[in-house]
Amino acid sequence: MSVTQVNIPGIVAEEEAAERPAVRRKIDRSERTRRIVRSAVSLVVGVLLWEAIARLVVHNDAFLAAPSAVAKRGWEMILNGELLSNTWVSMQELIYGFIIGAIAGIAIGAAMATWKSVSDYLEPWIAGLYAAPMIAFAPVVIIWFGVGIASKVAVVIMMVVFPMIINTQAGLESTDRRLLTVARAFCASGPRIFRTVSIPSAAPFIVAGMRLAVGRGLVGVVVGELFGSRAGLGNIITTASSVFDMPTLFVAVVTLAITGVVLTYLLRAVEMRLAAWREVA
Amino acid sequence: MIDAPPQTKSKLEVKGVSVRYINKRTGAETIALDDASFSVGSGEFVCIVGPSGCGKTTLLNCLDGLRPVSGGRILVDGRPVSGPGPDRAMVFQSPSLMPWRTVLKNVTYGLESQGVAASEASERAQKMIDLVGLSGFESYHPGELSGGMQQRVNLARALVIEPEVILLDEPFAALDAQTRELMQAELLRVWRVTKKTAVFITHQISEAVFLADRVIVLSSRPGRVKAIVDIDIPRPRTLEIKHDPLTNQLERHVESLIDSTLTAEQIFAAAGD
C-alpha cells in the first residue's frame, strides 16, 4: 500500500518524533561506570578499615578476625573441599525450597487474584503468617522433619511462599482494566487474556517478589541449620562459634553474603529485562 | 436534511436498543440508552455526537459486543451481535497499547487471537504501520511514542484485522488541537484507502462534520436518536474545508440540535406538570 502520505503535506510521523532511546543508553553507560567505581572504592576502604581495626585496635583473633586471616582460612577451606561441600548443601536447601515455594506462591497468588472466594478464605492466614516472624517456627520444623535437608527446605518454603503469594496477587490485580477490555474486544479467549495481558503485567511484580524471597530464603537456610543440621554454612557458623574460631565463622558469613548478593543481582538482571519497557515509559 | 431515509444496503443496523444499569448499592435504575434506532450503510462514515453522559460510549461498547443490550437488536450484515467478533474492531479512547509489546506486536495482537500465522500477521501489520505513517517505529515500545503516534498504533491495530465495521471512541480527545486536526485528516486518508464502514463517537461538532457522511445526534440521558444530519460536503476533504461556509453552516445546525435538547426536555417536563 504505497498510497501512504499522498494528500496532506507535512503529515509524517516525525511531526511528533519521540526521543531516540540510543542516546539515553549511552548516558546510562558512563553513569553506570561511575557508580561501579564508587561501590568498589567503598568496598576496598571498608575492608582496609576492618583490617586496620583488627590489627591495631583489637589484637584478638577470637574476638575479631582480620580480613587477611579470614582470606587465609577461606583458601584452606577451599583447598580441603570443606567450603564448597558445605556451600553446596546450603545451596541445595535454598534452591529446592525456593523453587517449590515460588511455584506454590505464584499458583496460590494467581488463584487468589482470579477467584474472590479463594482470596477470602486465605487472606486472614496469609496476612497473619506473613507478618509473623516465620523464623520462630524453624525449631518446630526441625523437630518435625529432622536434621536432614528436608527440614531446611521446609523452612525455606515457609520464608519464600508468602512474599510470592502477595506479589503475584498484587501484580495480577493491578492489571490495567483497559488492556483486559482491549484483549476481549480483539476476541482473545480467557486463557489467552491471562497469558498475554495478566502475566506480562504481573511479571515485574513476580520477579520483585522473587528478589525479596531469595533473601528471606537464605536467612531460612542459615537459621534452619543453626537449629539443627549435619552440614551447610549455618552448621559451620554454629560449630566455629562454639570454639571461638572467628576466621572460620567469618568465612561462612562472607560466603553467605556473596551468595545473597549474586542471587539478588541475577534476579535484578531478570527484572530489568522483563521490565525493559518500563524504563522508557 | 434531518431524518434521512434509511439506507437500502445497511451494514450495521441498530433497532430499538436500550441499555439500563442497576446501581448495585442503591438499587436505582439508570437508563443510559432508550430505544435508539439507526442504520449505517456499507462504506459509510457516521459520527455520533451528543452531550457528555448521553450514552455514546455505552452505545459503541454495545456495537462491539463488549456490553449486552437490555432491549432491541444490533445487526451486522443481518447477523445479530452477541459479543466481540472479527467483523468489528474498536479504536479505544485511550490508546490502551500493551506497554511490553513493540509497535509491531501491538498491531498483530488481534491477528494472533484469530490464529493468523506469525509471518502473515507481521506482513499485514507492517502494511498497516506504513499506512498510518509509522514506518521505522515498528520496534519501539509505546512508552517511547507520543500521544498522536500511540493513537496511530491504536488505529492500525483495529484496521489490520480487516473488520467490516470500525468503531472509534473519541480517539483524538486527548490530543492537542493541532495534532487532533492532523489525525482527523489522516483518518480520512486511511479510511479512503481501506473503505471500511466507520462509526465515530465525538463530542466535538466540528470533528463530526469534517469526518462524517451523516451525523447522528443523541439527546442527553437517556440517550435517544434526536436527529440525523446528512453532511453533503464533497470528498476528498482537506483541512481547508473546515473554514468553508457550508461546513460552518452544518456545524451551527448540528450545534443547535444539541443545544435545544435540554430546552426541549425542560419544556416537556413543564408541560407534564
Side-chain angles (χ1 to χ4, degrees):
Chain A
M1 289 197 198
S2 53
V3 211
T4 328
Q5 282 135 24
V6 273
N7 46 4
I8 304 97
I11 300 172
V12 277
E14 277 82 353
E15 111 237 350
E16 338 153 311
E19 194 186 339
R20 290 195 158 263
V23 182
R24 208 172 305 148
R25 278 188 201 126
K26 204 171 170 187
I27 298 166
D28 274 357
R29 197 166 301 145
S30 72
E31 173 64 24
R32 238 182 99 190
T33 324
R34 210 172 306 140
R35 288 174 61 185
I36 290 170
V37 169
R38 283 191 201 129
S39 307
V41 167
S42 168
L43 277 177
V44 169
V45 170
V47 169
L48 288 177
L49 207 64
W50 174 10
E51 181 81 40
I53 291 171
R55 282 190 190 209
L56 306 173
V57 185
V58 180
H59 299 296
N60 183 354
D61 246 15
F63 191 72
L64 179 70
S68 54
V70 175
K72 190 164 152 276
R73 180 74 190 114
W75 184 242
E76 284 167 24
M77 287 169 76
I78 289 172
L79 289 183
N80 67 22
E82 205 183 325
L83 184 62
L84 286 177
S85 67
N86 282 292
T87 306
W88 178 234
V89 169
S90 294
M91 281 304 102
Q92 274 179 298
E93 291 161 356
L94 179 66
I95 290 165
Y96 294 145
F98 182 79
I99 289 173
I100 297 168
I103 290 173
I106 290 170
I108 295 168
M112 287 175 72
T114 313
W115 297 288
K116 189 81 191 91
S117 59
V118 175
S119 169
D120 290 341
Y121 285 122
L122 297 182
E123 198 75 64
W125 290 96
I126 286 158
L129 291 173
Y130 185 55
M134 292 307 288
I135 235 44
F137 295 97
V140 184
V141 176
I142 307 292
I143 290 169
W144 287 345
F145 293 94
V147 289
I149 186 169
S151 57
K152 265 66 76 184
V153 170
V155 173
V156 174
I157 292 173
M158 277 164 42
M159 296 294 283
V160 164
V161 78
F162 294 105
M164 289 312 295
I165 292 174
I166 285 165
N167 271 45
T168 305
Q169 189 191 11
L172 289 172
E173 281 175 354
S174 71
T175 306
D176 190 342
R177 303 249 155 251
R178 289 173 301 182
L179 294 184
L180 294 172
T181 308
V182 167
R184 209 152 63 83
F186 283 99
C187 308
S189 61
R192 208 187 146 69
I193 293 174
F194 190 73
R195 193 163 52 78
T196 58
V197 183
S198 308
I199 295 276
S201 51
F205 284 80
I206 295 173
V207 182
M210 286 181 176
R211 201 150 49 81
L212 205 65
V214 130
R216 285 169 56 100
L218 206 55
V219 171
V221 166
V222 178
V223 175
E225 285 174 352
L226 290 183
F227 282 118
S229 61
R230 288 192 208 94
L233 292 169
N235 184 269
I236 293 183
I237 291 174
T238 14
T239 323
S241 68
S242 64
V243 295
F244 297 100
D245 180 0
M246 274 294 151
T248 307
L249 193 148
F250 267 103
V251 168
V253 170
V254 168
T255 309
L256 280 169
I258 292 170
T259 312
V261 168
V262 168
L263 289 174
T264 311
Y265 181 83
L266 284 179
L267 283 165
R268 179 100 208 137
V270 174
E271 200 176 349
M272 298 290 255
R273 245 191 97 74
L274 273 177
W277 52 269
R278 277 209 166 171
E279 277 199 278
V280 285
Chain B
M1 217 181 257
I2 305 166
D3 292 325
Q7 304 278 311
T8 41
K9 197 183 157 223
S10 301
K11 174 61 76 181
L12 177 72
E13 282 175 277
V14 176
K15 293 179 168 178
V17 164
S18 324
V19 175
R20 288 183 291 273
Y21 309 85
I22 308 248
N23 185 316
K24 277 188 189 138
R25 201 163 43 81
T26 61
E29 191 186 57
T30 310
I31 302 169
L33 274 174
D34 186 27
D35 196 24
S37 296
F38 62 90
S39 61
V40 183
S42 186
E44 195 184 10
F45 200 126
V46 162
C47 281
I48 298 176
V49 297
S52 36
C54 74
K56 300 186 293 273
T57 296
T58 305
L59 175 60
L60 207 67
N61 284 339
C62 291
L63 295 182
D64 198 44
L66 287 169
R67 162 185 280 288
V69 297
S70 312
R73 293 210 299 166
I74 295 167
L75 305 170
V76 176
D77 279 327
R79 292 185 304 271
V81 166
S82 59
D87 53 347
R88 284 150 291 135
M90 180 86 106
V91 178
F92 291 86
Q93 182 166 11
S94 77
S96 307
L97 304 174
M98 296 179 190
W100 52 84
R101 285 184 169 232
T102 60
V103 167
L104 184 76
K105 282 290 174 188
N106 264 291
V107 177
T108 57
Y109 188 82
L111 296 173
E112 288 167 28
S113 328
Q114 288 181 15
V116 174
S119 59
E120 194 203 326
S122 298
E123 207 174 297
R124 281 167 66 179
Q126 186 61 57
K127 278 183 189 165
M128 275 307 145
I129 290 167
D130 295 343
L131 181 66
V132 300
L134 281 181
S135 313
F137 290 89
E138 295 81 0
S139 60
Y140 280 55
H141 283 92
E144 299 171 277
L145 304 180
S146 68
M149 291 162 90
Q150 290 187 19
Q151 282 301 8
R152 287 168 194 261
V153 181
N154 192 4
L155 179 63
R157 175 174 64 184
L159 287 170
V160 77
I161 67 168
E162 292 179 8
E164 298 285 327
V165 182
I166 180 151
L167 307 164
L168 304 102
D169 183 11
E170 292 199 54
F172 310 143
L175 303 179
D176 61 87
Q178 216 175 348
T179 312
R180 184 174 190 150
E181 291 213 322
L182 290 170
M183 290 300 291
Q184 290 166 359
E186 280 283 88
L187 177 63
L188 282 189
R189 176 180 65 74
V190 171
W191 173 71
R192 249 186 32 236
V193 174
T194 55
K195 301 179 184 70
K196 298 293 177 211
T197 306
V199 179
F200 187 106
I201 281 185
T202 180
H203 61 257
Q204 197 187 331
I205 294 155
S206 65
E207 182 170 71
V209 170
F210 176 67
L211 295 172
D213 292 315
R214 284 189 301 151
V215 172
I216 296 175
V217 181
L218 293 187
S219 65
S220 60
R221 181 162 289 189
R224 294 191 183 91
V225 176
K226 182 153 191 289
I228 298 177
V229 182
D230 281 326
I231 306 296
D232 36 19
I233 303 170
R235 291 184 193 274
R237 297 175 191 169
T238 58
L239 286 169
E240 285 81 71
I241 66 113
K242 285 202 168 192
H243 308 294
D244 198 86
L246 173 63
T247 311
N248 297 337
Q249 193 194 325
L250 284 164
E251 284 170 5
R252 276 197 300 279
H253 178 58
V254 173
E255 197 171 1
S256 71
L257 288 166
I258 293 179
D259 280 342
S260 61
T261 304
L262 194 69
T263 330
E265 277 197 351
Q266 282 165 340
I267 292 163
F268 188 73
D273 280 347

